[in-house]
Amino acid sequence: MSIKVENITKTYGDQKALNNVSFHIRKGEIVGFLGPNGAGKSTMMKILTTYIKSFEGNAWVNEFSVTEEKLNVQQSIGYLPEHNPLYLDMYVKEYLSFNAEIYKVDKNQVEKITELTGLTPEANKKIEELSKGYRQRVGLANALLHNPDVLILDEPTTGLDPNQLIEIRELIKSVAKEGGKTVLLSTHIMQEVEAICDRVIIINKGAIVHDKNIKDTLEDKNLETLFAELTNPQK
Ligand code: ADP
Ligand code: MG
């Protein structure tokens, strides 16, 4: 298993952001993690990437425990956080080289990833000069630098215009398929899952409410009702 989540509960005050969540993701699967705002998607991802340290239950990435083997987990994962924090006044090439040094990745790899993510023509621009779509490419390039097996992408297309959205989806798909990566990608858009993923996990109010492959998901007669509840929650 690439990702194994067992009985994770995360509480903020008296609110359960995650309530006994379990799922397994096999190597090479591209999984859409779908759910409305506040469902618990980012919290789950921060646990998997070892940013959140206190919770109940456990999770493993490439068989490394997120509580016991943090460094191994971090080496296994490429993470694009929700608001893609970038140093806007750095040049693309400079930013990626700077991170490559931190990861102890060699310069050839920086060039390879720059090319792979379509950033070669932009490499000498400042990040602040780039469109949102290209900034996402920089975030993705950064996540790929150390050649991780697993990609955790938190709403990678939120805020992009329709063309950029399609380009980033295609890029994620090709990078994942060609590199044999395992991907967990959060979104609140079903079409996005259809465009990229082979499996759909839906989370609502901290609990998993659906976990099926894409074909069974699209044929699922309950999905419409489920979506109506998610987008129009009634107490
Ligand atoms: P999503 O990414 O699906 O929108 P989050 O994981 O960000 O959801 O949030 C899940 C729930 O946990 C939300 O109700 C949110 O307000 C709460 N939450 C997230 N982070 C914190 C925090 N640092 N302190 C308190 N509550 C938080
Ligand atoms: Mg989020």
Side-chain angles (χ1 to χ4, degrees):
M1 286 295 158
S2 267
I3 299 177
K4 213 160 66 177
V5 172
E6 300 273 5
N7 307 106
I8 288 204
T9 295
K10 170 69 191 172
T11 313
Y12 289 113
D14 50 14
Q15 184 203 10
K16 279 187 176 157
L18 294 170
N19 190 359
N20 202 28
V21 170
S22 302
F23 58 84
H24 292 182
I25 298 179
R26 286 184 301 278
K27 187 170 163 38
E29 275 191 292
I30 306 182
V31 177
F33 198 35
L34 190 68
N37 274 335
K41 303 182 296 295
S42 297
T43 302
M44 188 67 246
M45 290 177 149
K46 285 177 197 160
I47 288 174
L48 287 172
T49 51
T50 76
Y51 283 86
I52 290 179
K53 295 175 178 68
S54 89
F55 53 86
E56 291 165 52
N58 205 349
W60 292 260
V61 178
N62 274 358
E63 314 293 330
F64 298 118
S65 154
V66 300
T67 56
E68 311 282 331
E69 297 160 293
K70 291 192 177 62
L71 221 56
N72 291 311
V73 169
Q74 288 163 11
Q75 279 161 359
S76 305
I77 284 182
Y79 177 38
L80 179 59
E82 194 165 14
H83 299 294
N84 187 13
L86 295 169
Y87 294 105
L88 295 181
D89 59 346
M90 280 180 101
Y91 295 89
V92 172
K93 196 173 175 176
E94 182 193 16
Y95 178 71
L96 293 176
S97 308
F98 171 75
N99 284 320
E101 261 176 55
I102 296 174
Y103 293 133
K104 302 193 170 34
V105 165
D106 69 43
K107 290 269 184 279
N108 293 339
Q109 174 71 356
V110 178
E111 275 186 29
K112 195 177 136 202
I113 295 297
T114 304
E115 188 65 39
L116 181 74
T117 50
L119 283 167
T120 308
E122 315 293 318
N124 295 315
K125 283 189 185 164
K126 272 196 174 178
I127 294 173
E128 68 183 2
E129 293 167 352
L130 302 181
S131 66
K132 179 103 202 298
Y134 272 83
R135 289 184 194 188
Q136 286 303 81
R137 286 175 193 254
V138 176
L140 204 56
N142 185 42
L144 288 164
L145 272 181
H146 58 301
N147 196 23
D149 291 336
V150 178
L151 290 175
I152 306 269
L153 310 175
D154 198 351
E155 305 211 17
T157 65
T158 297
L160 299 186
D161 72 32
N163 286 331
Q164 295 171 339
L165 200 124
I166 291 167
E167 283 177 20
I168 293 292
R169 283 180 188 167
E170 288 306 316
L171 180 60
I172 291 170
K173 217 157 107 176
S174 70
V175 162
K177 292 283 182 207
E178 281 159 34
K181 310 274 186 206
T182 305
V183 181
L184 181 65
L185 173 150
S186 75
T187 175
H188 48 266
I189 312 165
M190 184 59 197
Q191 289 90 314
E192 179 135 306
V193 174
E194 280 187 60
I196 308 180
C197 304
D198 355 278
R199 182 174 149 202
V200 189
I201 298 177
I202 303 179
I203 184 169
N204 188 34
K205 295 180 188 154
I208 307 281
V209 292
H210 173 104
D211 183 355
K212 289 182 180 174
N213 68 37
I214 191 73
K215 182 171 171 287
D216 292 346
T217 299
L218 295 173
E219 289 171 359
D220 190 336
K221 298 209 166 36
N222 296 324
L223 202 65
E224 222 168 300
T225 324
L226 182 61
F227 261 87
E229 279 168 23
L230 294 189
T231 47
N232 197 2
Q234 286 167 351
K235 278 270 157 182

